[in-house]
Structure formats: structure tokens, C-alpha cells
Amino acid sequence: MELHDVWFVLIAFLWTGYFFLEGFDFGIGVLTKLLARDRTERRVLINTIGPVWDGNEVWLLSAGGATFAAFPEWYATLFSGFYLPLLLILVCLIVRGVAFEYRAKRPEESWQRNWEHAIFWTSLLPAVLWGVAFGNIVHGVRIDAHKEYVGTLGDLLNPYALLGGLVTLALFTFHGTVFAALKTVGDIRVRARRLALVLGPVTAVLAIGFLLWTQADSGNGRSLVALVVAVAALAGAIGAIGRRREGWSFALSGLTVVAVVAMFFLTLFPNVMPSSLNEQWNLTVTNASSTPYTLKIMTWGAGITAPIVLLYQGWTYWVFRKRIGTQHIAGSGTH
């Protein structure tokens, strides 16, 4: 296996980790409107991800940085062609981080309510836009012979990509609902389980339709295996939450996210960004990669730093593993 193949796998791993972790993170943000009944319950939900949400975004920074260094042509075409949706995602992530930090800085109800609105919308929009972006990457976009995107914003809003956006929104929200059931106690936990049983079948219908479309459009034997795993894991997650086995359900909903992202990359390889104009103009792991020397230096650096980051983040989740409920919220009338 060549180094550019290795880095394609590593970038796929980084995106998979990001969507697994940030998926339930976005889901919790959406649930602040769908599940929480009052300010105290919204505080409970926010606190379930309070210690970890910023660490989850490290995976996005790593994925973007790795793409820039390992596949500069891919990075340039992607970020120039998808400039507006990616800028909107970036703005949402910035505002979302500010909202988490500033929400409880003042006791006024209007202040907290406005930041809670921000948390909801800046969780929902990226959940949709990431699906639209990856749907376009897998489906193919208008790339010319000079490796430049020559389409318009309207070209990115095609039926396949929009369905992809609905799938990621539904999947992340279901993933977040299961996480809420896993991390909370009391009435909010019971309602999270009920909501998961409603969201699960809706997610399954959307996901199966989208994945079958993907397989028919550009799939292969490897992606078919990922499709089967995704569907089986999602069914298992719904069944487990129905039996009140939140831990198993969360593991299986996470496996669903992993399998869906894996299917994206298995469908792509050896391309990194197919051209819908001419197959000869596809960006591939070969023509979009950096020099072998650059990839070699990056491999040594990743081999040293990645285990440290993984160990630290795993330790963080272990420290903050306990369930929380409304009884753990001090001054619940104002926070």
C-alpha cells in the first residue's frame, strides 16, 4: 500500500471519528428543543456534552489539516467549490462554541433563551450541511480538466445531496437521543427512550433509501458490506433502546454512523472527488496527493501525536462518565 493510500484511510478514520463524536453532540443540541421541557432540562442536556464537545471538534481540525497536507488538490477544489456551505458550517461552529460558554454568564431569561436558540440552530444546520457536502462528494460534482469546480451553489442542492442532509440530521439526532438516554436519569431519560423509538424508524427509512441509492449509483462489493452493517446496526440500536439497554443502543447507533461514513469512503476510493463531467478529470489519491517525502514526514508526526490525543480524549470520557439529572443542577430556576 502506497503512502497516499494510507493517508486516504487515515483521513477516512478522522472523519469517521468526527461524525461518531460530533454526531451525538449535534443531536443533543437539536434535542434542547425537541426533548427538553424547561430551562433546567436544557441545562441537563447541555451538561451531558459540556466537558467533551470542544474535544470532539479536534477531529474536524485534524481531518481538515490532514486533507490540506496530504491531498492539497482535493482540499483546494473542495474548499473553493463548497465555499459557502463550508463557511456556513464554520460560522455555526464558532457561534455554537460561544453559545455554550456564554449561556450561563448572565441570569436573565432572555439572555439564556437567545443562546439556547443559537445552540439549536447551530447544531441542526451543520448536521444537514455535512450530509449535503458528503453527498455531493460521493455523487460527483462539476470538476473540469484543471481540477477546478465549475458548478454553482444550485448544483450542490440536488435531490441526492439533500436526501443525504436529511439522513445525517436524522441519524445524528437519533444518536444524540440514545446518548441522552445513556447519560441522564429520571423523567428526561424515560422521554429520551420514547423519542428514540420514534426517531429510529424514521431514520431507518431515510438511511436505507439513501444508502441503496448510493450503492446503485456508484457502489461496489466493499460498500455493500458497509451498507449491510449500517442497516443491521441501526436495527439493533432501535431494538436495544426498546429493551432499555442504552449502552448497547449507543454502541450500535455509533456503529451505524461509522458504517455510513465508511460506505462513503469505500465508494469513493481510489477517487477523492469524482467529476460529473468526465471520469478522466476525477481527483484521485494519486493525482491529488502531496509528494512522497511530505507524506512520510506526516506519517511520523501522526504516529507520535495521534495516540496521545486518543488517550487523553478517552480519559476525558471516563472521568465524566456518570449520569446526570435535574437534581444535579444547582439553582435550577436560573440556569
Side-chain angles (χ1 to χ4, degrees):
M1 181 181 287
E2 300 291 336
L3 278 179
H4 50 65
D5 298 329
V6 172
W7 273 96
F8 179 85
V9 173
L10 290 175
I11 288 172
F13 172 75
L14 291 170
W15 279 112
T16 301
Y18 173 67
F19 286 130
F20 176 87
L21 297 171
E22 194 82 308
F24 69 76
D25 206 326
F26 287 143
I28 291 293
V30 174
L31 291 178
T32 58
K33 296 293 185 185
L34 296 185
L35 181 62
R37 289 178 173 173
D38 53 37
R39 296 165 65 192
T40 302
E41 290 191 351
R42 284 190 286 274
R43 178 69 179 273
V44 170
L45 290 174
I46 292 170
N47 283 4
T48 63
I49 59 172
V52 298
W53 68 266
D54 49 354
N56 294 344
E57 293 186 356
V58 170
W59 290 77
L60 173 61
L61 298 175
S62 299
T67 303
F68 171 77
F71 298 100
E73 294 286 356
W74 182 13
Y75 182 92
T77 304
L78 175 65
F79 279 78
S80 60
F82 293 23
Y83 179 80
L84 285 178
L86 292 178
L87 176 62
L88 182 56
I89 290 174
L90 178 61
V91 171
C92 284
L93 295 180
I94 293 171
V95 173
R96 187 166 177 265
V98 173
F100 281 135
E101 296 296 334
Y102 275 58
R103 176 190 173 276
K105 297 298 184 183
R106 290 171 57 179
E108 293 88 347
E109 182 177 355
S110 59
W111 171 272
Q112 296 189 8
R113 184 175 60 249
N114 289 337
W115 286 119
E116 287 164 1
H117 288 322
I119 290 171
F120 171 77
W121 286 109
T122 57
S123 297
L124 185 146
L125 288 175
V128 173
L129 291 173
W130 280 127
V132 172
F134 271 83
N136 277 292
I137 293 172
V138 172
H139 192 59
V141 292
R142 297 172 62 84
I143 299 174
D144 66 11
H146 303 290
K147 303 178 182 177
E148 295 180 0
Y149 177 72
V150 293
T152 65
L153 179 62
D155 293 327
L156 301 179
L157 302 178
N158 56 79
Y160 176 82
L162 292 175
L163 178 58
L166 292 178
V167 169
T168 50
L169 174 61
L171 183 56
F172 291 167
T173 305
F174 174 72
H175 194 35
T177 307
V178 175
F179 182 75
L182 177 66
K183 287 288 292 179
T184 59
V185 294
D187 183 58
I188 193 170
R189 177 186 178 189
V190 174
R191 285 187 282 112
R193 284 200 300 257
R194 291 174 183 166
L195 182 58
L197 290 174
V198 174
L199 290 175
V202 175
T203 303
V205 171
L206 291 172
I208 291 172
F210 178 72
L211 296 179
L212 288 175
W213 189 349
T214 302
Q215 182 65 26
D217 184 54
S218 54
N220 50 53
R222 299 185 301 270
S223 63
L224 180 60
V225 173
L227 187 157
V228 172
V229 171
V231 173
L234 182 55
I238 297 170
I241 197 67
R243 296 191 300 273
R244 302 183 180 183
R245 302 293 298 274
E246 294 96 344
W248 279 105
S249 183
F250 179 71
L252 289 168
S253 67
L255 179 59
T256 305
V257 175
V258 169
V260 169
V261 180
M263 185 177 179
F264 287 161
F265 284 93
L266 290 170
T267 299
L268 275 176
F269 188 81
N271 298 316
V272 295
M273 206 166 177
S275 171
S276 60
L277 299 178
N278 190 326
E279 289 186 0
Q280 300 298 319
W281 299 340
N282 289 352
L283 296 182
T284 69
V285 293
T286 303
N287 65 23
S289 70
S290 294
T291 64
Y293 181 75
T294 299
L295 296 178
K296 184 177 180 180
I297 296 298
M298 289 175 60
T299 303
W300 279 104
I304 295 171
T305 59
I308 298 173
V309 173
L310 290 173
L311 287 171
Y312 174 76
Q313 192 162 31
W315 176 79
T316 302
Y317 275 92
W318 174 256
V319 169
F320 295 100
R321 67 189 182 277
K322 293 183 179 180
R323 297 176 184 267
I324 63 173
T326 55
Q327 67 271 28
H328 300 116
I329 303 299
S332 57
T334 58
H335 291 282

